């Protein structure tokens, strides 16, 4: 695996790949790689000739009191995992390389409306940071296809919208959620969960599935279902940030006749904010 730290050098290497007729797949990450990231790499490998992973803990998408400082940085272990997965290129820039004019002076990319709800409501500015860095990474790597995990459902929807609105020539592909045996969605932030909390955190996923089953059985009392799920999660000892039954397309509260529905939840443990979702299609 070739490792690049600079925009010019990664561009040059990938330019040669493209000139040789090879397609480029891209998996942007913030590192602390786990099996779910490797599954995204595998998807990119199935679809493209060469695969680039980026690791950049993007300060622009963290709020003032969020976990940018303590976000797990596991560079050596990440390299080993990518080498095992036969990844071709790693782009590992530092902050100066991505924000040479400083973050305050950085031109921003803003996707309106769908970033005001759910995670966007509790993390103001978060999605602006994501879309800004992802559009920069797209311009640096110039991939044919980029693969994102569906666990960050809203992020995926926002990035799809950005690509559509700005006519960015990148195919966006979604990778399924990879779960621990008890249903907990894999996430770099799972390392913040305490051993005492660990047996209870799968309640978020259990409640999402309970609501999904209820809807599949014909229950359309969405507000009551959301309220019951919140009670279940609180009874397991966690504070709920949001729990909503949404239209998969707009991320607005689902209407009773919507056929593409995603149930999304976010909850706080002592030191982590965990998110998860399940989608369903009604016939
Ligand atoms: O999902 C992530 O890890 C990040 O939000 C991303 C897409 C790499 C942008 O920093």
């Amino acid at each position: 695996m070739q490792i690049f730290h600079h925009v010019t050098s990664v561009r040059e290497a990938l330019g040669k790949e493209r000139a040789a007729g090879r397609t480029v797949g891209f998996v942007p990450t913030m590192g602390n790689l786990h099996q779910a990231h490797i599954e995204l790499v595998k998807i990119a490998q199935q679809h493209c000739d060469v695969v680039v992973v980026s690791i950049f803990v993007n300060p622009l998408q963290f709020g003032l009191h969020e976990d940018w400082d303590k976000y797990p940085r596991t560079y050596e272990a990440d390299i080993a995992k990518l080498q095992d997965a036969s990844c071709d290129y790693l782009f590992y820039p530092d902050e100066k390389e991505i924000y040479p004019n400083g973050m305050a002076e950085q031109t921003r990319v803003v996707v309106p409306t769908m970033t005001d709800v759910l995670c966007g409501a509790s993390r103001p500015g978060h999605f602006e940071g994501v879309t800004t860095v992802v559009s920069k990474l797209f311009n640096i790597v110039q991939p044919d296809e980029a693969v994102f995990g569906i666990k960050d459902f809203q992020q995926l929807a926002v990035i799809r919208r950005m690509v559509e609105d700005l006519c960015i020539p990148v195919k966006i592909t979604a990778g399924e959620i990879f779960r621990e045996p008890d249903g907990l969605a894999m996430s770099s932030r799972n390392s913040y969960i305490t051993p005492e909390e660990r047996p209870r955190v799968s309640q978020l996923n259990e409640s999402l599935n309970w609501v999904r089953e209820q809807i599949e059985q014909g229950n359309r009392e969405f507000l009551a279902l959301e309220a019951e799920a919140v009670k279940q999660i609180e009874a397991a000892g966690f504070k709920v940030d949001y729990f909503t039954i949404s239209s998969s397309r707009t991320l607005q509260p689902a209407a009773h006749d919507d056929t593409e529905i995603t149930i999304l939840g976010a909850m706080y443990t002592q030191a982590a904010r965990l998110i998860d979702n399940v989608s369903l299609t009604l016939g």
Side-chain angles (χ1 to χ4, degrees), residues 28-30 37 56 58 61 126 130 133-134 148 152 155 159:
T29 81
M30 297 205 298
H37 292 112
F56 179 61
N58 174 33
Q61 70 187 73
H126 167 67
V130 171
V133 82
V134 169
F148 292 85
D152 296 286
Q155 169 172 280
I159 288 169

Side-chain angles (χ1 to χ4, degrees), residues 136-235:
K136 291 194 76 149
L137 291 168
F138 281 176
N139 284 330
I140 294 165
V141 172
Q142 298 174 31
D144 295 277
E145 182 167 340
V147 190
F148 292 85
I150 218 167
K151 181 178 77 70
D152 296 286
F153 189 90
Q154 187 176 12
Q155 169 172 280
L156 181 64
V158 167
I159 288 169
R160 282 193 200 282
R161 175 58 69 82
M162 173 186 85
V163 163
E164 185 187 333
D165 284 355
L166 298 183
C167 308
I168 302 176
V170 180
K171 180 178 176 206
I172 303 297
T173 298
E176 285 311 313
I177 300 180
F178 221 68
R179 297 184 181 281
E180 302 291 351
D182 68 348
L184 174 67
M186 285 190 187
S187 162
S188 301
R189 290 190 168 97
N190 288 356
S191 60
Y192 302 156
I193 300 169
T194 66
E196 185 276 314
E197 290 168 330
R198 180 62 190 84
R200 293 180 283 122
V201 288
S202 57
Q203 182 60 52
L204 177 57
N205 182 244
E206 283 161 33
S207 294
L208 290 166
N209 281 320
W210 177 80
V211 171
R212 176 181 52 76
E213 282 161 21
Q214 291 291 315
I215 298 173
E216 280 170 349
Q217 286 162 21
N219 189 335
R220 294 289 179 278
E221 299 298 326
F222 291 165
L223 291 179
L225 287 173
E226 288 168 358
E228 180 54 33
V230 168
K231 266 197 214 152
Q232 292 171 359
I233 296 166
E234 285 174 351

